[in-house]
Amino acid sequence: LLFSAPLLFAARGTWRWSEWSHLADVAVLLAGVWLLGLPVATALFSAFFLRWRFAVPWWQGALAGITVALFQWGLFERWLEIPLGLGRLGTLL
């Protein structure tokens, strides 16, 4: 055997509230991607996450969220020509 560590990721009862809250954040992001599409959900989630977790000013969070969404859109849609999902609301438009 190469590793002597146990195979479990985390033993029962060892997760704290901070780990569970990160799972909740991911669940919210995935629901937003399903509903709003990847670029919009990423921008909103990044802005909210930076404001809530790291207490940055709202304008810095919004600027970072928009920058990430624009970079993501330019990379996938324009450069790699991979269409990003529009989400449920995008398909209704």
Side-chain angles (χ1 to χ4, degrees), residues 20-45:
W20 288 108
S21 67
H22 289 303
L23 289 177
D25 295 341
V26 171
V28 168
L29 176 62
L30 291 176
V33 168
W34 177 78
L35 185 64
L36 301 172
L38 190 61
V40 175
T42 302
L44 292 174
F45 181 77

Side-chain angles (χ1 to χ4, degrees), residues 6-69:
L7 296 177
L8 293 175
F9 175 69
R12 178 175 288 182
T14 60
W15 276 39
R16 295 183 307 269
W17 170 248
S18 61
E19 286 91 4
W20 288 108
S21 67
H22 289 303
L23 289 177
D25 295 341
V26 171
V28 168
L29 176 62
L30 291 176
V33 168
W34 177 78
L35 185 64
L36 301 172
L38 190 61
V40 175
T42 302
L44 292 174
F45 181 77
S46 298
F48 177 75
F49 190 79
L50 287 171
R51 176 73 178 146
W52 181 48
R53 292 277 188 191
F54 299 109
V56 300
W58 68 267
W59 66 271
Q60 287 180 349
L63 181 64
I66 292 169
T67 304
V68 167

